[in-house]
Amino acid sequence: MHEWALAESIIVTIMKEYEKEKLSKVFKVTVKIGELQSIELDIFNFALENMIELYKPPVDLNNICLEIDRCILKCKVCDNHWNYRDTPKKLEEDEKEAIHFIPEVAHTYMRCTQCGSPDFEILQGRGVWIDSIEGEK
Amino acid sequence: MHEWALAESIIVTIMKEYEKEKLSKVFKVTVKIGELQSIELDIFNFALENMIELYKPPVDLNNICLEIDRCILKCKVCDNHWNYRDTPKKLEEDEKEAIHFIPEVAHTYMRCTQCGSPDFEILQGRGVWIDSIEGEK
Amino acid sequence: MDPRLNIINKRLENIKRVIAVSGGKGGIGKSQTAAALAQYLSMQNYRVGLLDLDFCGPSSHLILGIDDVFPEEDMGILPPLVGGIHFMSITFFSGGQPAPLRGGEISNAIIEILAITRWGPLDFLIIDMPPGTGDPTLDVIRLMERVEFLLVTTPSRVAQEVMKKELSVLRELHIPVIGVLENMKIKNNSPTEEVLAGLQVPFLGSIDFDEDLEDALGNTDKLLATGFVKQLGQILAHSQMIS
Amino acid sequence: MDPRLNIINKRLENIKRVIAVSGGKGGIGKSQTAAALAQYLSMQNYRVGLLDLDFCGPSSHLILGIDDVFPEEDMGILPPLVGGIHFMSITFFSGGQPAPLRGGEISNAIIEILAITRWGPLDFLIIDMPPGTGDPTLDVIRLMERVEFLLVTTPSRVAQEVMKKELSVLRELHIPVIGVLENMKIKNNSPTEEVLAGLQVPFLGSIDFDEDLEDALGNTDKLLATGFVKQLGQILAHSQMIS
Ligand SMILES: Nc1ncnc2c1ncn2[C@@H]1O[C@H](COP(=O)(O)OP(=O)(O)O)[C@@H](O)[C@H]1O
Ligand SMILES: Nc1ncnc2c1ncn2[C@@H]1O[C@H](COP(=O)(O)OP(=O)(O)O)[C@@H](O)[C@H]1O
Ligand SMILES: [Mg+2]
Ligand SMILES: [Mg+2]
Ligand SMILES: [Mg+2]
Ligand SMILES: [Mg+2]
Ligand code: NI
Ligand code: NI
Ligand SMILES: [Zn+2]
Ligand SMILES: [Zn+2]
């Protein structure tokens, strides 16, 4: 349930932007949830709900739209692009758990599906990211 | 005149792409010349001409279009964006020369114009880059 | 927009002092100093955290013999309390295997750790820094508002040169520097003191090369009995560093 | 499209062997070994280049006392020949001032240096690597087709752990490893030999901790007379490393 810490960062950021941009209203916040971090949407939604109660930001849970972001990896050595789900070697539970906490340790447990290098980039779908905050001044 | 080494890399790359993409003809190669590296276009053109004579690639000098790429820097600390030319402190000749060889040593000689940090990104206009190679299969 | 950047200083708000043990060069005793400093402060009944940010060569856990613990998940992650020290390291997640990360990824991992670790109230958070003034150093400067640096060097000219470079970056950016510690002294001269003269950066003192340190690694009781820790304790007791 | 990537191996095509002196940890003697190796090979009448890729803590020039030279521009840049060694380092461009670069920028600078440096025909190009398995190590592996690694470690457990991690990455990627050199030996045991047993990686030998090395830094004649260089020479003479 470390998802709460990430949910908190979302709510705090919305509040900061609200003040900084002097918004009178926030319509919609789009949050990308990168596949690599294997965040459970139920837990994340529950965490957001609790953080909303705690911080009372100018948004409802309904205004926060979670979108799963497919994880695309790109090898720096052979230029191969692949999807996280297509990794042939199934990750162990504790490896998945480690990546859940710190997505970058993917470099410890995953390899390029073509050349076997650990030297790949996480092009998209890494973790939690605010794609946009739409509001009215 | 280390421009020759960079010109050579352009010509070698055009030839590689020509073979790899099995092109029958190359119409146009667009090369971006980043402002930060202070490359003299005359010298660079002359170097390209000589390399074309040496390697006999499937292009003329006329097909290679050099475009100056404005240098935009972005501070990682304060988010300030600024143009290389707007750096208030004028660079010494030897500092300019060092950046001419290795553009990254800009971090030694330049600072964010707003907060003074050396921790900035070179968003664009760093050095020599092939923007596109247009050809026919 | 990276939401994590907005939570980092909130995570650190109940920590009185954040001290990054750095020095530019590798192998000068940064990890040894960070671990001993954390031990010393904990013995003085301060509440202490130790954060190992050396992703390529994490060593704090080896020095303190930390093994078989894992952070608890509770609205974030809680650093396990080991021998009186709240400890966090990448090794919890890489399991001692190699983590060949590029700079941008190290930066991202550091941001993640800072965003999700709930230290709770601390008197000191000690950071064991990797060598260099690359991503980790630049990020600690950029992200941790109240960080102070404690620099380590050896008497060797190669170490001194690198330390001076780091010092010059820190001073230019007005980052507080507690002082410079000279480690692994073998001969009688202290070149660090001369190098610092006129720079208005405190010379904290010297710690001798200690042939028996290696045998104490991994055992906190033995470590506390080493010449290294004794000399560090004397330096700390006589400095205004801890107040 | 980055044109520089296509020219790098052409720039290295007249170099017989490219040897990266690495080892994961900092302060274990990588720079000292790289410099002494270059000196030794040059004394044996090999044509030798030395490339310092430690951008945060460049040391090769300090060890060899290289000063007051600058690369010549001639269809690229030509490494100055100093004491029989063709030498290239970031210090030529940063002028001894700090170069606080992030990983991606270090990577970019390495690509630039490799793309524009015209080494000419060499028997050996020795690379003095920074600590860690970050951008420089990953780039050397990715960009230099024929690179071989020579690993350095100390007998210390903290150094051994980091060396094992780097070794495991190199082996997984099938990068040739010439062997592991144990440096700064103080006591009688050689833990490196035990660690390597069964790994099919040659143990090259040990070099003692040499209290007088520091005084020889910056002076090539004095360096050649040190115990360090003598022991390294013996190890090299008895190994099949140079053939
Ligand atoms: N004063 C000292 N005397 C002897 N050995 C030391 C001393 N300080 C550190 N060491 C040893 O030197 C090596 C490098 O120390 P470490 O703390 O890992 O350096 P860094 O973190 O700067 O890379 C380790 O083996 C450590 O035990
Ligand atoms: N065998 C040795 N005995 C004594 N000092 C050594 C020995 N090898 C290296 N040194 C010293 O140790 C320090 C670190 O060596 P260096 O080559 O700079 O390490 P690295 O490049 O791995 O960081 C330097 O001061 C160097 O002179
Ligand atoms: Mg360390
Ligand atoms: Mg706590
Ligand atoms: Mg070195
Ligand atoms: Mg030459
Ligand atoms: Ni979780
Ligand atoms: Ni030039
Ligand atoms: Zn690959
Ligand atoms: Zn700034």
PDB file of all heavy atoms in Angstrom, chain A residues 1-3 100, chain C residues 73, ligand 7:
ATOM      1  N   MET A   1       0.816  -1.210   0.000  1.00  0.00           N
ATOM      2  CA  MET A   1       0.000   0.000   0.000  1.00  0.00           C
ATOM      3  C   MET A   1       0.852   1.263   0.000  1.00  0.00           C
ATOM      4  O   MET A   1       0.484   2.257   0.593  1.00  0.00           O
ATOM      5  CB  MET A   1      -0.916  -0.005   1.233  1.00  0.00           C
ATOM      6  CG  MET A   1      -1.718  -1.253   1.345  1.00  0.00           C
ATOM      7  SD  MET A   1      -3.261  -1.077   0.482  1.00  0.00           S
ATOM      8  CE  MET A   1      -4.146  -0.019   1.621  1.00  0.00           C
ATOM      9  N   HIS A   2       2.004   1.207  -0.657  1.00  0.00           N
ATOM     10  CA  HIS A   2       2.786   2.440  -0.732  1.00  0.00           C
ATOM     11  C   HIS A   2       2.147   3.366  -1.770  1.00  0.00           C
ATOM     12  O   HIS A   2       2.574   4.504  -1.936  1.00  0.00           O
ATOM     13  CB  HIS A   2       4.239   2.130  -1.056  1.00  0.00           C
ATOM     14  CG  HIS A   2       4.576   2.085  -2.494  1.00  0.00           C
ATOM     15  ND1 HIS A   2       4.185   1.088  -3.344  1.00  0.00           N
ATOM     16  CD2 HIS A   2       5.289   2.956  -3.262  1.00  0.00           C
ATOM     17  CE1 HIS A   2       4.643   1.324  -4.547  1.00  0.00           C
ATOM     18  NE2 HIS A   2       5.308   2.448  -4.535  1.00  0.00           N
ATOM     19  N   GLU A   3       1.120   2.882  -2.438  1.00  0.00           N
ATOM     20  CA  GLU A   3       0.353   3.695  -3.380  1.00  0.00           C
ATOM     21  C   GLU A   3      -0.141   4.995  -2.741  1.00  0.00           C
ATOM     22  O   GLU A   3      -0.320   6.007  -3.434  1.00  0.00           O
ATOM     23  CB  GLU A   3      -0.857   2.896  -3.897  1.00  0.00           C
ATOM     24  CG  GLU A   3      -0.553   1.896  -4.993  1.00  0.00           C
ATOM     25  CD  GLU A   3       0.069   0.594  -4.507  1.00  0.00           C
ATOM     26  OE1 GLU A   3       0.434   0.502  -3.314  1.00  0.00           O
ATOM     27  OE2 GLU A   3       0.206  -0.319  -5.309  1.00  0.00           O
ATOM     28  N   HIS A 100       7.799  -2.640  -8.512  1.00  0.00           N
ATOM     29  CA  HIS A 100       6.635  -1.890  -8.049  1.00  0.00           C
ATOM     30  C   HIS A 100       7.071  -0.692  -7.198  1.00  0.00           C
ATOM     31  O   HIS A 100       6.530   0.408  -7.322  1.00  0.00           O
ATOM     32  CB  HIS A 100       5.749  -2.854  -7.251  1.00  0.00           C
ATOM     33  CG  HIS A 100       4.625  -2.224  -6.492  1.00  0.00           C
ATOM     34  ND1 HIS A 100       3.596  -1.562  -7.108  1.00  0.00           N
ATOM     35  CD2 HIS A 100       4.357  -2.182  -5.159  1.00  0.00           C
ATOM     36  CE1 HIS A 100       2.742  -1.128  -6.183  1.00  0.00           C
ATOM     37  NE2 HIS A 100       3.182  -1.492  -4.995  1.00  0.00           N
TER      38      HIS A 100
ATOM     39  N   GLU C  73       5.545  -1.569   4.285  1.00  0.00           N
ATOM     40  CA  GLU C  73       4.684  -0.710   3.476  1.00  0.00           C
ATOM     41  C   GLU C  73       3.598  -0.141   4.365  1.00  0.00           C
ATOM     42  O   GLU C  73       2.825  -0.888   4.964  1.00  0.00           O
ATOM     43  CB  GLU C  73       4.041  -1.559   2.364  1.00  0.00           C
ATOM     44  CG  GLU C  73       4.338  -1.041   0.976  1.00  0.00           C
ATOM     45  CD  GLU C  73       3.686  -1.845  -0.119  1.00  0.00           C
ATOM     46  OE1 GLU C  73       3.788  -3.085  -0.077  1.00  0.00           O
ATOM     47  OE2 GLU C  73       3.070  -1.235  -1.016  1.00  0.00           O
TER      48      GLU C  73
HETATM   49 NI    NI E   7       2.636  -0.754  -3.146  1.00  0.00          NI
END
